[in-house]
Amino acid sequence: MAGHTLTAIALIISTAIALIISTALSAVIVPQQNSSQWQDWSLSPSQRAANLLPQLAWEEKIAQMGGIRQLLGVNATFNRTTWDTLYPLQHGILSYGNQLNSAQDVLRMANMVREEQLNSSFKIPWISVTDSVNSIYVTGGTIFPATLSLSSSWNLPLYEQVVAAIRDENVALGTKWVLSPELDVAKDPRNGRVDVYLIGEFTARYLKTMQERDENGFIKVACTIKHFLYGQGMGGVNTASMDGGANHLYNDLAVPYIRAIQEDPVSIMISYSSVDRVPMSMNTKLVQGMLRNEMGFEGMIMSDAMGILHLHTESRVASSYEDAAVKALKAGLQIELAPGQPACFPFLVNRSDDSEIEQLVTEAARHMLEVKFATGMFDLPLSSEEILNQTLRAEKHLEVNRQASRESLVLLQNDGILPKSGLGKVAVLGPLADIIDAGSYGPINSANPHNGQSLRRSLEAKLGTENVFYEQGVEINNSSDGSGINAAIAAAQKAGLAIISLGSLSVYFYDPNVASRTDGEFFSHPDLGFPGEQQQLLDAVLDAGVPTILVLGGGQAFVLNNSTMRANAIIHSFLGGEFTGDALVETITGMVNPSGKLTISMPQAQGAFPIYYDYLPSDNVGGFAAVCSGDWTLPCLNRSDPPMAFGYGLSYTTFEISAPQVSAGDSVEVSCTVTNTGVVAGKEVVQVYYDQEYSTIELPNKRLIRFEKVDLQPGGSQNVNFSIDRDEMGYYVDAKYQVGSGNYTFWIGSSSRAQDLQNTTVTL
Amino acid sequence: MAGHTLTAIALIISTAIALIISTALSAVIVPQQNSSQWQDWSLSPSQRAANLLPQLAWEEKIAQMGGIRQLLGVNATFNRTTWDTLYPLQHGILSYGNQLNSAQDVLRMANMVREEQLNSSFKIPWISVTDSVNSIYVTGGTIFPATLSLSSSWNLPLYEQVVAAIRDENVALGTKWVLSPELDVAKDPRNGRVDVYLIGEFTARYLKTMQERDENGFIKVACTIKHFLYGQGMGGVNTASMDGGANHLYNDLAVPYIRAIQEDPVSIMISYSSVDRVPMSMNTKLVQGMLRNEMGFEGMIMSDAMGILHLHTESRVASSYEDAAVKALKAGLQIELAPGQPACFPFLVNRSDDSEIEQLVTEAARHMLEVKFATGMFDLPLSSEEILNQTLRAEKHLEVNRQASRESLVLLQNDGILPKSGLGKVAVLGPLADIIDAGSYGPINSANPHNGQSLRRSLEAKLGTENVFYEQGVEINNSSDGSGINAAIAAAQKAGLAIISLGSLSVYFYDPNVASRTDGEFFSHPDLGFPGEQQQLLDAVLDAGVPTILVLGGGQAFVLNNSTMRANAIIHSFLGGEFTGDALVETITGMVNPSGKLTISMPQAQGAFPIYYDYLPSDNVGGFAAVCSGDWTLPCLNRSDPPMAFGYGLSYTTFEISAPQVSAGDSVEVSCTVTNTGVVAGKEVVQVYYDQEYSTIELPNKRLIRFEKVDLQPGGSQNVNFSIDRDEMGYYVDAKYQVGSGNYTFWIGSSSRAQDLQNTTVTL
């Protein structure tokens, strides 16, 4: 054996990877035991392996754990130099390389290297491991329909025959191991989907057939089932991450709660959601365990409206209303908010003999009393109509509202048309132009508000009724005869400027426009374009060549297609208040310089979501942008930041933000200088993001950690300093908070987009 | 106190809910302790509550846990009867009801019921709990822009002023508790999204401001932060479930693996995915814990290509290649498949002094040896070119392939145009008509296959070249000048019948058409319409009024819009093999009766995914279908099964499937009779689904449990029996398998759609 070992060592040190193993050479021990029992067919594979194993050198064991990926290159070429380089530590498994080589070429070369190997030290043979889906891996075999096609046959015996044929062709090629079948259950059609039972049955037939024993009892073709575990990758992106437990909850969803609990909220409401198949209203692990015990929340825990009842009526995890009440109580719920009838908690009245229930009810009552004491309910006088009238719509409230309305508008696009100080005649168009869309919790009559006014009315107040040509054009969500669009085009052409207000409507159930609702609670919708025929209205006005300012309304992101992007300016007003119409007019005319920034990212295509700037690194590698421009990686379509990303928004002036200065001590000090380089006053939101080079679990590629809104006169400049405790830059691993050391990158700039940020790195 | 108690009891028994509490009455104990310390302002809320609590009757405690939802109805109406009914066990919290009532009306009535309550037994006051987003809950207050708008201001001090104004208006209305702020992080734009840090900061300001103490030290307005926890609801549907742990993994993704492991796969490949922020290639919990220990897998565990390397280069959870190798090894990985260079496992060569690593490496090597023994690698002779040539493309393989190709086609729509036995002249159009799209693991030249033929060539072979007018029309994914479409229309009109082959292309990297790839591994795409200008081609031919058979190709579901649905017939061929062209011709001409059924559901709109028949009950309650036809609930747009759902597919004959007969013993026997009621022979897939009435965790609304493909002559009939062990109908709770008792529903029929199923219920 010593001779063999010397040969092996000589081979190893002649290779390019000699460096990495040099320190290990002294540790190489060749067992002197020499036995050939492993050659005895009559023993089991297990017994034979047990005999052979002690005879392997350390490197041999390592080498069995890897292999050669490319036996042959294009046109059946064999690169001996590369082969010899990799061989010493990678000679367990053999793959064939180029898929378009012929089976005959592959077999010849595979047999050659197999023979070489069998003449080497331990005679441990190569095993070929290849993909094999609807054929052998290389050309020359039978090409069957692919798996998704075959599954559509719902014919298991036929499927067995297909697998047997593929198996036999593999064996003939010397392929004894295939990377099949695939068991992944992808419920998103962007990544395929078949039923779990159906996959299981097809898989079982595949394995029985492919791994059938030959007449000697040997497995014909071994299988690797894959890919454990991969389900609905984020956004349907190939290889993207899956949410699935405490690390996701703690490092994403729970982050704002952890921050909020520092401010002692009196109570927390439990969501409707089922998390991991357990409705939150009975989720003891997440309510009692995570929220109470781990996060330390001490306030009252409240159901959402009918949330407890749903345990019985919807989720069917409680067999009665009383059972639902007990489960919710034991999970930690203490108030049943706005119950449907029958309410569930009243059924607890029967359960006072149960000491656990009695104790929990008592505790809930104690909690409620404390709230009432703390809020002065026992002690303060009742409010009066006089107080009410003095307070509601107080002048200072209205002034704050005006300012909030101005700063909430986000200018998304502007070719220079804005600001338009000398606004003369204008056509105001679209189904949102003459209503106030305040959201489903805004107690206002959207069509006929008692206070405040629509964009149309604000324009009329500013320009005079005679200068404002209003046409609704289309309804929010219904089809029309097109006459409204023609009237809108005529109005636009007459005025020479169009302001078009489009979007989605979210109003309360008692609102007169409720039948036109398209968004808000209960109104989830898969399509992020404009509802109804709104796009046609916009296209028609743009086609007519009239300069156009597009005002978006609605509590959502929209997909702005290429046609929409022809608008000269785009402003998103989201769900506006009573002064949003005024604020839009002030902004359009330049009395107000817009300063809002997006807090959601706008997706670039239908279906291209979820979308957010703080994706995980592995979520951004699912597509080959260089090969196919239409592919889809998480942050956007073309693997760069989407144009209208989190933090993005335009101004009528320009700002320069200097590169960040960073110094690190107990805290990290990040600073920069912001300068208003334009000719009008304006506000810029300076944003600080950070990332850690290496971490214990995957962390987002960057995260917002500070921001400040800075108000600057033209030419004005201000130094902005951010102090960040090191403790703030940690993350949770299995619910335990930890702060890492190593390199951190800090970005500073005007949005989350790479082109709007400058960075520096510091070691902590 | 006795007097008060009697009054309370009298009130209770006068109500409609008297029944449910009657058994509890005897248990009502009124503590004789009587103290008024709780009235002492100088004590803390905690001390005061402690004093009062023992004095509460049991019902009083219960009552504090709920409240009255509707103080007032429409137009400020007050229903005294309802009020009195609910009062006894629901009088902790007060909500106002109709949002369009005026603040003045609400205050007057709230003060009235508060006064009544303060004159009652324990003088425990009502506390008002209302939503309050951008205003007080009812009309008359200041309407601010909604939260998403305000967040766009990125102006925290301004936000504080807004919150203070809303707070003061609430206090003036007597509202001391608001169900705000909302902290939910929804990364899907169908449900909104702001950054976790940003939410945290805005929330903190909200709480500080809203819960500010008044001059007496009382909380001005208490807050309920919400909804703990709710992130990305499935499919962007409001209230839908979230995946998040072992119950999801075990009851969904792992199901096929558990089935497969019964068949002893030699190995399992580990996915690229990060699950809960931990890449699977180092996920000790899911690989060693779940797969090895809990699921009992004893085979070899293999990485995906470069999966280990990605720990360092992509996910940045390993600080070096060596670190990646160690983490993967310790998690349980034993083979590094097709590594990038440098490979990671070779770095382990330095670590033989680490006994854990040494042991794991040794174990991996032992495993590999066993595989090689089991497959005969040590013992069997090498394959030869002679064997290869005898085996590849053996006649029996080709015959199996022809049959598999026929049965894999799914007929999705047919207005009677098919079968078309007397096929004369035909125009064959579209970018997939003259290639073989065998998928990215099909080793075939798609444009010029050595074996098999395209749809075009199959048609030419059947009808003669002179009767087949081929026009590509458009390219798969590029824009064109439109001339191809015109030529296609001309060909269609000349032939009088068009067969249009559209879809997505998935070929290997060495294929000549690789630049046109639109689907398959690495080619995730958000859009499920036809790539490029294919839709325009189809629309143009349909607009021309030519009868059209649409053949879909590609390994994916497509969104078939209203225009597409004008096609007279639609067949999905998915990823076909070398005989799929022939099988299509055989099917179109009626030589073959289609018998494939969908194994994925076809979404009804862009973005309307994930989509699958086995949704959780709570995933189907997110929208009000009655209010808005455009809303989105998980299974489909209109809360009924999508037309082209899992299990769906048409035939040229008709089948009648009888209602199921079910009998239950140790196993459940489900049977039915299938009859071919048409005039041609055909195959029907009889499908059995089931559901359990109540379960410990949420389970899918129905699940496939058996199926059988039945071949019947016209008029022929067959009894089909399915035997299902009770043990098969269990599910996993926290990784433990359990089988429930109670009512089970079994459905039997021809697809997963409700209209194609009949059911019966049995108690197990």
Side-chain angles (χ1 to χ4, degrees), chain A residues 99-104 135-143 169 173, chain B residues 388-389 391-394 397-398 442-445 450-451 578:
Chain A
Q99 217 168 0
L100 293 185
N101 289 322
S102 74
Q104 284 73 13
S135 164
I136 56 171
Y137 185 76
V138 291
T139 64
T142 309
I143 308 284
E169 295 192 359
L173 186 60
Chain B
L388 183 67
N389 291 337
T391 312
L392 296 189
R393 308 188 58 69
H397 295 175
L398 301 184
I444 192 170
N445 182 320
H450 193 63
N451 298 113
E578 58 191 76

Side-chain angles (χ1 to χ4, degrees), chain B residues 657-660 746-749 754-760:
Chain B
I657 302 178
S658 69
F746 289 86
W747 289 265
I748 206 159
Q755 65 262 46
D756 295 330
L757 294 170
Q758 297 181 78
N759 72 69
T760 187

Side-chain angles (χ1 to χ4, degrees), chain A residues 99 193 195 274 508 600 698, chain B residues 99 193 274 508 600 698:
Chain A
Q99 217 168 0
R193 157 70 177 167
D195 176 73
S274 280
Y508 193 63
I600 51 172
E698 261 203 286
Chain B
Q99 216 169 2
R193 159 69 178 168
S274 281
Y508 193 62
I600 51 172
E698 261 201 289

Side-chain angles (χ1 to χ4, degrees), chain A residues 460-475:
Chain A
E460 287 175 350
K462 174 79 178 177
L463 304 179
T465 315
E466 69 281 9
N467 292 317
V468 178
F469 312 142
Y470 168 68
E471 292 290 344
Q472 182 177 328
V474 297
E475 291 184 60

Side-chain angles (χ1 to χ4, degrees), chain A residues 20-21 99 151-153 172 193 195 211 224 248 264 267 274 276 377 383 508 597 599-600 613 698 709, chain B residues 99 126 151-153 172 193 195 211 224 248 264 267 274 276 349-350 383 508 597 599-600 613 698 709:
Chain A
I20 65 163
I21 59 164
Q99 217 168 0
S151 72
S152 301
S153 76
R193 157 70 177 167
D195 176 73
Q211 295 195 161
T224 292
H248 164 232
D264 293 321
S267 129
S274 280
D276 196 29
M377 295 304 294
S383 186
Y508 193 63
K597 299 273 189 173
T599 52
I600 51 172
Y613 77 94
E698 261 203 286
K709 197 162 192 174
Chain B
Q99 216 169 2
W126 285 108
S151 73
S152 301
S153 76
R193 159 69 178 168
D195 177 73
Q211 295 196 162
T224 292
H248 165 231
D264 292 322
S267 124
S274 281
D276 195 29
V349 79
N350 290 329
S383 187
Y508 193 62
K597 300 273 188 171
T599 52
I600 51 172
Y613 77 94
E698 261 201 289
K709 197 163 192 173

Side-chain angles (χ1 to χ4, degrees), chain B residues 692 695-697 727 729-733 736-740 744:
Chain B
Q692 182 177 354
S695 48
T696 310
I697 59 173
D727 277 354
M729 292 183 285
Y731 53 97
Y732 289 83
V733 178
K736 297 280 179 293
Y737 192 72
Q738 63 179 49
V739 182
Y744 285 74

Side-chain angles (χ1 to χ4, degrees), chain A residues 242 273 399 431 442 450 475 536 541 560 591 609 618 689 730 758:
Chain A
M242 276 171 46
S273 187
E399 190 44 42
H450 193 66
E475 291 184 60
Q536 286 91 313
V541 175
L560 306 180
M591 290 172 62
F609 32 73
S618 67
Y689 299 85
Q758 297 181 78

